[in-house]
């Protein structure tokens, strides 16, 4: 069996904000009736987090849960734990209309660190990053690619996109974070 590697193997760019590939991150798509008690219990068991409301990201001891659409969550867990999380959630939701899929190796994750992290994302996305606060999640576009982002804290934005466009996303973020390109928003 081959060893798992992240899309860009730790790519790093330092500009007025730092852009770094986050490495291997466990990500699980969970689809179903988000008002279901069984799904809420499965999310809590998987991440330790409460069910997120619309446009929200909740954090628990074992991971995060993000609202992606009216019937879809993104669970973020340790990469090595993702297969077992899928197995446990599938068992607990066997009687529930749901879909649980490990999408870890189909995604790339980037962190934009610095006081102007919102500005870097705003250069590439139509999302209103000025209103973004930690605990909020936005599914949007970054230039020509679908992506989602959230704030870990006031100086760290996390962007998730498809692995197949990881280099493109990294190059966009690095260019937007290039020194001398500050907008001062």
């Amino acid at each position: 069996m081959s060893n798992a590697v992240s899309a860009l193997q730790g790519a790093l760019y330092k500009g007025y904000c730092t852009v770094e590939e986050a490495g291997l991150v466990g990500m699980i798509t969970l689809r179903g009736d988000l008002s279901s008690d069984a799904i809420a219990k499965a999310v809590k068991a998987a991440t330790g987090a409460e069910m997120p409301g619309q446009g929200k990201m909740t954090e628990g001891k074992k991971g995060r849960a993000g609202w992606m659409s009216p019937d879809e969550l993104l669970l973020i867990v340790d990469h090595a734990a993702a297969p077992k999380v899928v197995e446990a959630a599938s068992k607990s939701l066997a009687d529930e209309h749901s879909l649980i899929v490990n999408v870890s190796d189909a995604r790339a994750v980037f962190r934009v660190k610095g006081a102007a992290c919102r500005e870097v994302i705003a250069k590439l996305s139509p999302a209103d990053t000025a209103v973004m606060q930690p605990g909020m999640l936005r599914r949007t576009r970054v230039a020509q690619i679908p992506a989602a982002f959230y704030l870990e804290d006031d100086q760290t934005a996390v962007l998730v996109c498809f692995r197949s466009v990881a280099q493109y996303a990294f190059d966009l973020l690095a260019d937007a974070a290039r020194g001398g390109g500050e907008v001062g928003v």
Side-chain angles (χ1 to χ4, degrees):
M1 186 167 167
S2 62
N3 293 328
V5 295
S6 64
L8 302 181
Q9 300 182 35
L12 177 71
Y13 174 81
K14 292 187 178 187
Y16 74 93
C17 282
T18 298
V19 177
E20 64 182 1
E21 186 204 22
L24 295 172
V25 177
M27 287 176 273
I28 298 160
T29 294
L30 190 158
R31 296 196 79 146
D33 178 359
L34 301 187
S35 66
S36 160
D37 288 339
I39 287 183
K41 287 178 186 173
V43 168
K44 184 77 167 178
T47 64
E50 300 298 324
M51 281 292 288
Q54 182 175 349
K56 302 291 183 188
M57 173 72 75
T58 57
E59 187 170 359
K61 291 183 179 183
K62 298 184 281 182
R64 297 172 189 255
W67 186 94
M68 297 296 278
S69 74
D71 70 344
E72 180 182 358
L73 297 176
L74 178 65
L75 306 182
I76 301 173
V77 298
D78 179 70
H79 187 270
K84 290 183 182 187
V85 169
V86 169
E87 183 180 339
S90 296
K91 284 181 184 175
S92 72
L93 295 173
D95 295 332
E96 191 85 14
H97 179 72
S98 61
L99 173 71
I100 304 112
V101 180
N102 183 352
V103 296
S104 305
D105 296 335
R107 304 288 189 265
V109 180
F110 299 95
R111 283 192 174 79
V112 180
K113 295 181 178 182
C117 65
R118 288 176 181 84
E119 177 182 299
V120 171
I121 301 293
K123 288 180 179 182
L124 303 169
S125 171
D128 184 358
T129 60
V131 301
M132 291 294 293
Q133 297 298 319
M136 296 174 76
L137 172 78
R138 179 66 194 256
R139 193 173 193 174
T140 186
R141 296 192 74 72
V142 172
Q144 299 299 312
I145 60 173
F149 74 94
Y150 64 93
L151 298 178
E152 279 187 339
D153 55 50
D154 283 324
Q155 297 203 10
T156 309
V158 178
L159 185 125
V160 177
C161 67
F162 290 112
R163 182 184 180 107
S164 61
V165 293
Q167 187 66 60
Y168 178 70
F170 179 80
D171 292 346
L172 287 171
L173 291 166
D175 188 53
R178 191 171 312 280
E182 300 87 344
V183 177
V185 175

